[in-house]
Amino acid sequence: MEKLMISGGRPLQGTVTISGAKNSAIALIPAAILAESEVILDNLPLLSDVAVYSEILEELGAAVSWDGNSMKIDPSHIISLPMPNGPVKKLRASYYMMGALLGRFKEATIGLPGGCNFEPRPIDQHIKGFEALGATVTNEHGAIHLHAKELKGAKIYLDVVSVGATINIMLAATRAKGSTIIENAAKEPEIIDVATLLNSMGASIKGAGTETIRIEGKSELHGCRHSIIPDRIQAGTYMIAAAATRGNVLIDNVIPKHLEALTAKLIEMGVGIEELDESIRVIGKPSYDHVDVKALVYPGFATDLQSPMTSLLTQAQGVSVLSDFVYSNRFKHVPELIRMGARIRVEGRSAIIEGHVLNAAKVKAADLRAGAALVIAGLTVEEGVTEVGGVEFIDRGYDNLVSNLRELGADVWRQTL
Ligand code: EPU
């Protein structure tokens, strides 16, 4: 069993370059299925989730090859093989196979997704969208079966603002007959990235990034080349780590606009921030003010940065309140932070955090962002070695985490115990 070992207390210093966005990559790879010819995706993050997706596509008959961070997908020989089990079970985002296969083949069987289960994560809005497009959807023996004689454009109002449902409906609707309108759509940058790829493949999608997306279905899409946007959550995690260790770090290859909600909170706490065109410098300070944070859908503060932010708020003076309005119970990092001496209590969908010095401990990540929170917490500890288990979760979302942190001066290593 592997653990991350952290001998903290060193301010992070230097430059870190951010890779392509995980949550774009795992939607763009299945989107390639909708084309009839070769799609090349550049700037892919080298993560376990991306490797699993490559496995899924190969199982369906796609030819997949790699050149550095570029993935070439030839989907011309793909078939809609039922996938009730196997690699689809390892990924939350395997639900995108439903929209992509339904769009191209009008049928799919996909096992219910796995991934980070920090709380029940329903997919009712995805299914509502597929049904509105004309698909019959059944749930049998742990797999979703989708079938349509024909997909027809429809007006779909999402009851919950959902990234996954917005993308999944977009995928299926690009190959439906006629116009689809998604109302109350999610506005995350990853949705714009998927729409950009699909439009380069010949789709007609307007309004991605707003609450109304209009799609004119096409009978055929073609291959193209697309470069993935930088990972705003990975960037935000390093920004928080730089602040927590009172470091001075240039976070390079970012779109600063994607990080505005975090940047504003860091400034409110007293962290020094310099925004450049494609990078952000974070300058730590000896002490920080407490702040209240509300995790919301984009452009609000990202729920994926809520756990890392909890660790930073243990370093602020006074009491901060951090509430998550996207997930009601995403607090699996809290008991572990308490083992490290944090003073936090969870009330409903809020964590109430009293600033307090942390100490080294053996802790375990229960999901990806909880893992990031524990690593940041470990980096702040002045004495002793913090052991973080659950490394497999962290590997799902942060490529080169250990080497990046080491380059920034941290004393971090992997150990097999
Ligand atoms: N929801 C429903 N019904 C649905 C879909 C969602 O009730 O059919 C609810 C969820 O339970 C949640 C809220 O709507 O309370 C938002 O969920 P959303 O569908 O937006 O989340 P997702 O698409 O499953 C993606 C990211 C998550 C990120 C969320 C929110 C991927 C694969 N995952 O999940 O990323 O937290 O959007 O921004 O893109 C992570 O990277 O660590 C991660 C969990």
Side-chain angles (χ1 to χ4, degrees):
M1 186 181 53
E2 246 194 338
K3 285 194 172 190
L4 274 188
M5 312 294 281
I6 305 164
S7 172
R10 300 173 179 217
L12 298 184
Q13 309 267 3
T15 300
V16 62
T17 302
I18 301 306
S19 68
K22 167 187 90 91
N23 287 346
S24 270
I26 54 184
L28 295 169
I29 298 170
I33 290 177
L34 289 159
E36 306 287 341
S37 52
E38 197 173 273
V39 174
I40 300 175
L41 297 173
D42 295 318
N43 196 32
L44 270 172
L46 302 178
L47 298 168
S48 51
D49 276 11
V50 169
V52 174
Y53 241 127
S54 158
E55 211 183 306
I56 294 175
L57 256 52
E58 284 181 314
E59 223 168 273
L60 292 177
V64 177
S65 60
W66 284 89
D67 180 10
N69 287 67
S70 299
M71 186 185 197
K72 197 193 279 180
I73 304 163
D74 181 352
S76 43
H77 298 296
I78 278 189
I79 51 163
S80 187
L81 197 72
M83 298 190 110
N85 291 304
V88 290
K89 290 282 190 189
K90 294 189 208 160
L91 274 186
R92 167 86 191 146
S94 54
Y95 52 44
Y96 290 133
M97 295 302 294
M98 300 178 195
L101 290 174
L102 182 66
R104 178 144 172 211
F105 299 104
K106 314 293 172 263
E107 64 174 2
T109 294
I110 303 293
L112 279 166
C116 277
N117 286 322
F118 39 79
E119 67 172 51
R121 293 166 73 188
I123 56 165
D124 56 300
Q125 297 302 303
H126 305 229
I127 290 169
K128 170 178 154 172
F130 298 143
E131 285 176 339
L133 294 173
T136 305
V137 186
T138 52
N139 177 354
E140 281 163 26
H141 312 297
I144 301 285
H145 305 265
L146 305 113
H147 174 78
K149 272 202 186 107
E150 179 180 63
L151 289 178
K152 271 196 186 158
K155 188 163 179 169
I156 300 157
Y157 179 88
L158 295 180
D159 304 329
V160 184
V161 180
S162 158
V163 175
T166 303
I167 293 178
N168 233 341
I169 296 168
M170 232 163 57
L171 293 174
T174 50
R175 298 281 300 256
K177 264 197 182 156
S179 315
T180 296
I181 300 176
I182 310 174
E183 298 275 18
N184 202 26
K187 300 180 209 146
E188 270 68 2
E190 292 74 21
I191 292 164
I192 303 179
D193 207 19
V194 176
T196 306
L197 170 79
L198 292 170
N199 283 339
S200 303
M201 284 161 52
S204 168
I205 302 174
K206 291 188 179 136
T210 75
E211 61 193 21
T212 305
I213 301 180
R214 290 166 199 277
I215 303 150
E216 285 301 324
K218 300 278 172 181
S219 56
E220 203 174 305
L221 299 179
H222 52 75
C224 69
R225 187 161 196 151
H226 175 85
S227 184
I228 298 179
I229 58 168
D231 194 312
R232 64 196 168 97
I233 306 301
Q234 195 191 111
T237 304
Y238 285 109
M239 288 169 70
I240 292 170
T245 60
R246 276 88 181 168
N248 183 331
V249 178
L250 185 74
I251 290 99
D252 198 18
N253 188 35
V254 298
I255 299 174
K257 178 125 189 80
H258 292 173
L259 287 149
E260 263 175 355
L262 171 64
T263 307
K265 272 301 151 191
L266 293 180
I267 292 171
E268 197 182 323
M269 291 178 71
V271 178
I273 297 281
E274 286 171 19
E275 255 185 42
L276 303 156
D277 285 349
E278 290 180 1
S279 54
I280 299 177
R281 180 174 292 284
V282 177
I283 305 152
K285 296 286 157 65
S287 82
Y288 298 125
D289 296 332
H290 59 93
V291 289
D292 292 343
V293 179
K294 292 183 174 66
L296 297 163
V297 294
Y298 189 84
F301 191 96
T303 169
D304 294 341
L305 290 173
Q306 180 261 99
S307 326
M309 191 68 177
T310 310
S311 298
L312 174 59
L313 291 177
T314 66
Q315 306 298 298
Q317 298 196 330
V319 177
S320 302
V321 179
L322 196 162
S323 312
D324 194 326
F325 291 100
V326 179
Y327 295 109
S328 57
N329 193 19
R330 195 179 193 176
F331 292 115
K332 287 197 171 162
H333 52 294
V334 169
E336 302 303 298
L337 289 174
I338 291 172
R339 278 175 197 271
M340 297 178 71
R343 296 180 177 170
I344 308 176
R345 64 175 201 281
V346 173
E347 281 182 16
R349 47 197 330 154
S350 301
I352 294 134
I353 306 152
E354 188 188 332
H356 188 66
V357 175
L358 301 180
N359 49 256
K362 290 183 183 181
V363 288
K364 195 164 187 311
D367 62 72
L368 165 58
R369 307 303 170 186
L374 297 175
V375 171
I376 292 167
L379 290 170
T380 70
V381 172
E382 295 281 343
E383 269 178 42
V385 174
T386 301
E387 296 185 23
V388 182
V391 177
E392 65 281 8
F393 289 109
I394 302 176
D395 287 342
R396 294 190 42 225
Y398 296 93
D399 55 351
N400 301 319
L401 179 70
V402 169
S403 57
N404 283 345
L405 288 174
R406 289 176 74 90
E407 273 188 28
L408 294 174
D411 194 4
V412 179
W413 66 100
R414 281 174 184 264
Q415 192 156 304
T416 308
L417 296 169

